[in-house]
Amino acid sequence: MDWEAVRLSLRLASASTLVLLPIGLILAYLLAFGRFRGKAVVEALTSLPLILPPTVLGFYLIVALGPRSPIGHAWESLTGSPLVFSFSGLLLAQVFTNLPFFLQPLVSSLGGVDRRLLEVASTLNSSRSGTYLRVALPLAWRGLLSGVILSFAHAIGEFGVVLMVGGNLPGRTRTASIALFDQVQSFDMAGANRTAMLLLGFAFAVLVCTAWLRGKDPLWR
Amino acid sequence: MALRANFTRDFSSGPRIAAEFQMELNRFGITVLFGASGCGKTTILRCLAGLDRPDMGAIFAEDVPWFDAASGRFVPPHRRHVGYVFQESALFPHLDVRGNIAFGLRDWSSQDRTHRVSELLRLMGLEGMERRRPVELSGGEKQRVAMARALAPRPRLLLLDEPFASLDRPAAEQLRHELRHVLQAMKMPVILVTHNRDEALSLGDHLLLMREGCICQGGSPTEVFAKPDSREAAELLGFGTVVRTRIAGRTEGLLRLLAGEIELVAPDPGGEFNEAYACIRGEGVSLERHGSGAVTQRNRLAGRVTALHHLGPLVRVQMDCGFPLESLITSWACEDLALAVGDPIHALIKATAVIVIPIEG
């Protein structure tokens, strides 16, 4: 078992979920309650990673983050190291890729919150952001928790984008799902099986959790 | 300090909602917006609270524009300091009673907040329920918490949208009675929306009558209920009989009216007119089985019972006396007279029970 890759996967998924949280909370607010022009565009952009082939996404991320792009250039002149093929680059890519997995359950939960409760809050001297934090989010906690779990789990499992943006550098960008790919490539079927079982068990546990959170029939009685 | 409102709100379906009125802030007084369901009462409250935005006009709280279509100014609800109580309490389900009441006190010091919450628990009769969740409360208790929550931050104006409609009758009457004292003690100006006549009469200091989106009459509740100034207002205010009549004669402050061939005597409101609506409350019409002769009532009409509607302790009797006439009697009286549909009957109406609304032109 490539424990280094597993540790990296966990570190990457935790970090990307943490970075995702504030960005996702703001976007979820705009998508659930905002009334502005171009809302459909924002909705489409944040859902894009759901249906786009990871290679397409990865390719454009390389272009956008590469040393010749403004972002990549600025990053390199600030930190002295390139953004692509690094942990930070992977983190950025992961945040974007996992956004829809965070947003979808949360936005749908927020949509189910009784509007009158939000109106009452506003008549009790509560600003819009205050009402969001004190009323809407606590009442949409299932969606919020589902979003955190799903985006974390998806970050663990992501393969295509990580390979494209991160390459395959042991200890730096080789995650568990990429280690599995390596193991198969080198005919280490026993090792591949162990890694695959670990990822399978994790994904299954996550889905049981979110199904239970949705209040649907849990898988046990 | 006065609140001055003069605005309109348009909807793609339904009539335009228009409001024009003034009321005093900084002192106790209950203004009742009275009208049938769907006439736009709630829209007016929502516009005052800032939950809805009018299309034209302005709302001023003294010199501060809460809304002004001309300058495009709009103060959001959380800066208006207006309390709002919905028909179905709308308590925060994730907070207990204490948390609900304290919701609007976020900027208060924790000592002041605790003190204020205890004060409201006491005023609204909710002591001992601090830790209960909204699901553990009865309808009446929920509405008490909703009122305590709205009153806690000391709003400048309290808006009540049919707050008793979801309660059973005893609970509603009890709360109504207590609420008036609490509001008076707090010197709270209030606007109450209702379609319940008892509520309008027992709570209101000032009454605004609403019909089809417009405020059509205003005044003290007893005055408005006694003297509607239009046929629609009369119907809204529960006059069971509204009939169009011609003036047949005037003598010594009395009018002789003709509803078809039937003569009615009524007090003369004065003024030039040839036609008028005669409006009669069901309570003002007594019934008699056999014509017994001399009575004090000026109007004595022979007719036939066409329908009986039982309303708990009361019975609404509909008759044909040459025009449709309605009487409201107790169910005991109905039994004593052994009334049945088709029976001949005499209706007795005092002249003073007939309200005359002149028809202009």
Side-chain angles (χ1 to χ4, degrees):
Chain A
M1 180 77 78
D2 186 347
W3 288 110
E4 196 180 29
V6 172
R7 270 198 302 278
L8 180 69
S9 278
L10 287 173
R11 200 152 65 88
L12 183 62
S14 312
S16 79
T17 305
L18 276 179
V19 174
L20 187 68
L21 206 57
I23 302 170
L25 286 176
I26 292 169
L27 282 169
Y29 175 83
L30 293 174
L31 291 175
F33 305 119
R35 264 178 290 169
F36 55 93
R37 268 205 227 173
K39 187 172 169 179
V41 176
V42 174
E43 216 169 316
L45 271 177
T46 54
S47 311
L48 214 48
L50 280 180
I51 49 167
L52 208 60
T55 42
V56 175
L57 200 62
F59 171 69
Y60 282 115
L61 279 167
I62 293 178
V63 173
L65 306 179
R68 262 169 288 174
S69 77
I71 303 173
H73 186 76
W75 180 270
E76 205 167 330
S77 58
L78 268 172
T79 63
S81 56
L83 195 50
V84 281
F85 308 121
S86 74
F87 184 81
S88 310
L90 263 192
L91 184 60
L92 218 65
Q94 284 276 29
V95 167
F96 186 63
T97 317
N98 298 320
L99 201 54
F101 296 90
F102 179 79
L103 286 179
Q104 294 218 327
L106 179 54
V107 170
S108 100
S109 264
L110 287 171
V113 172
D114 187 348
R115 290 294 164 117
R116 281 174 319 157
L117 296 177
L118 308 178
E119 291 183 342
V120 165
S122 74
T123 66
L124 293 165
N125 313 332
S126 176
S127 65
R128 281 183 197 207
S129 54
T131 303
Y132 183 50
L133 294 174
R134 296 174 68 204
V135 181
L137 279 180
L139 291 175
W141 69 273
R142 287 165 192 272
L144 177 60
L145 199 54
S146 288
V148 168
I149 293 173
L150 279 178
S151 57
F152 179 82
H154 190 258
I156 296 271
E158 181 56 43
F159 175 77
V161 173
V162 176
L163 190 62
M164 292 288 281
V165 178
N168 186 356
L169 309 174
R172 279 170 57 199
T173 62
R174 183 198 281 167
T175 62
S177 53
I178 288 173
L180 170 62
F181 179 70
D182 280 354
Q183 284 160 335
V184 174
Q185 292 282 298
S186 56
F187 299 104
D188 175 11
M189 286 311 181
N193 189 33
R194 283 193 297 273
T195 313
M197 284 299 274
L198 186 72
L199 289 171
L200 176 67
F202 175 73
F204 184 69
V206 161
L207 290 176
V208 170
C209 273
T210 51
W212 175 74
L213 273 176
R214 272 202 303 273
K216 290 224 176 107
D217 247 350
L219 296 178
W220 64 89
R221 290 240 168 225
Chain B
M1 275 290 284
L3 177 76
R4 286 174 291 136
N6 184 359
F7 61 85
T8 62
R9 172 88 171 86
D10 292 307
F11 291 96
S12 50
S13 63
R16 158 180 285 193
I17 311 298
E20 189 188 347
F21 68 93
Q22 283 199 28
M23 68 179 287
E24 282 297 314
L25 298 176
N26 288 348
R27 70 174 165 82
F28 170 70
I30 299 182
T31 299
V32 173
L33 261 180
F34 181 81
S37 306
C39 70
K41 307 181 298 270
T42 296
T43 301
I44 290 182
L45 276 205
R46 292 179 58 85
C47 285
L48 291 175
L51 299 175
D52 212 339
R53 193 183 171 126
D55 294 302
M56 281 187 286
I59 303 171
F60 278 84
E62 192 62 349
D63 296 327
V64 182
W66 278 353
F67 169 73
D68 186 6
S71 65
R73 241 190 98 82
F74 179 80
V75 177
H78 65 275
R79 299 226 185 83
R80 293 191 185 190
H81 301 287
V82 167
Y84 198 110
V85 177
F86 285 86
Q87 187 171 335
E88 313 86 351
S89 61
L91 297 181
F92 300 122
H94 59 301
L95 300 175
D96 59 12
V97 168
R98 178 174 286 278
N100 267 280
I101 298 176
F103 189 91
L105 308 177
R106 209 167 74 106
D107 300 336
W108 293 35
S109 75
S110 83
Q111 199 185 347
D112 288 350
R113 196 184 312 142
T114 310
H115 186 76
R116 183 70 177 153
V117 171
S118 308
E119 189 181 349
L120 278 147
L121 286 167
R122 183 172 49 75
L123 283 172
M124 297 308 298
L126 290 164
E127 283 148 314
M129 299 189 190
E130 295 91 318
R131 290 279 158 237
R132 288 220 211 146
R133 294 265 166 177
V135 287
E136 299 166 319
L137 300 174
S138 72
E141 287 161 354
K142 276 186 197 162
Q143 216 50 335
R144 283 166 191 270
V145 177
M147 285 176 190
R149 177 178 66 177
L151 287 168
R154 303 186 201 281
R156 307 164 71 183
L157 171 66
L158 181 67
L159 305 174
L160 303 173
D161 189 358
E162 306 254 10
F164 311 105
S166 59
L167 307 184
D168 55 50
R169 214 181 151 124
E173 270 168 20
Q174 172 79 17
L175 181 54
R176 211 148 74 189
H177 183 73
E178 290 175 33
L179 187 66
R180 198 179 155 88
H181 288 285
V182 171
L183 295 173
Q184 194 157 19
M186 287 187 181
K187 299 190 171 65
M188 184 63 63
V190 183
I191 301 181
L192 169 77
V193 154
T194 183
H195 64 264
N196 178 317
R197 281 176 220 135
D198 295 345
E199 224 167 279
L201 274 171
S202 65
L203 276 179
D205 298 301
H206 191 79
L207 188 79
L208 299 171
L209 208 57
M210 266 200 87
R211 194 175 66 82
E212 285 172 18
C214 296
I215 294 169
C216 60
Q217 191 180 348
S220 83
T222 41
E223 186 184 301
V224 174
F225 270 81
K227 285 203 167 63
D229 65 8
S230 68
R231 178 199 165 167
E232 293 79 9
E235 281 167 355
L236 206 58
L237 293 168
F239 283 82
T241 304
V242 178
V243 59
R244 196 176 175 123
T245 60
R246 280 180 295 114
I247 312 301
R250 309 178 99 142
T251 37
E252 295 165 24
L254 288 178
L255 276 178
R256 275 176 44 235
L257 306 167
L258 279 177
E261 300 300 310
I262 312 299
E263 189 180 286
L264 282 169
V265 177
D268 189 349
E272 283 298 311
F273 55 94
N274 298 318
E275 286 190 301
Y277 288 109
C279 309
I280 307 162
R281 279 186 189 282
E283 296 91 317
V285 181
S286 319
L287 299 182
E288 194 185 27
R289 195 67 158 156
H290 311 286
S292 60
V295 288
T296 62
Q297 284 94 340
R298 281 293 82 201
N299 299 299
R300 189 155 177 287
L301 312 174
R304 207 166 274 282
V305 177
T306 56
L308 295 169
H309 301 282
H310 294 266
L311 315 161
L314 297 175
V315 181
R316 195 194 307 145
V317 185
Q318 290 183 321
M319 294 160 286
D320 180 8
C321 299
F323 60 90
L325 181 68
E326 199 176 284
S327 171
L328 201 62
I329 59 174
T330 61
S331 54
W332 289 355
C334 189
E335 278 166 33
D336 283 352
L337 291 179
L339 281 184
V341 172
D343 286 357
I345 195 88
H346 284 88
L348 306 172
I349 312 159
K350 283 180 165 183
T352 49
V354 182
I355 306 294
V356 175
I357 302 174
I359 300 172
E360 309 286 336

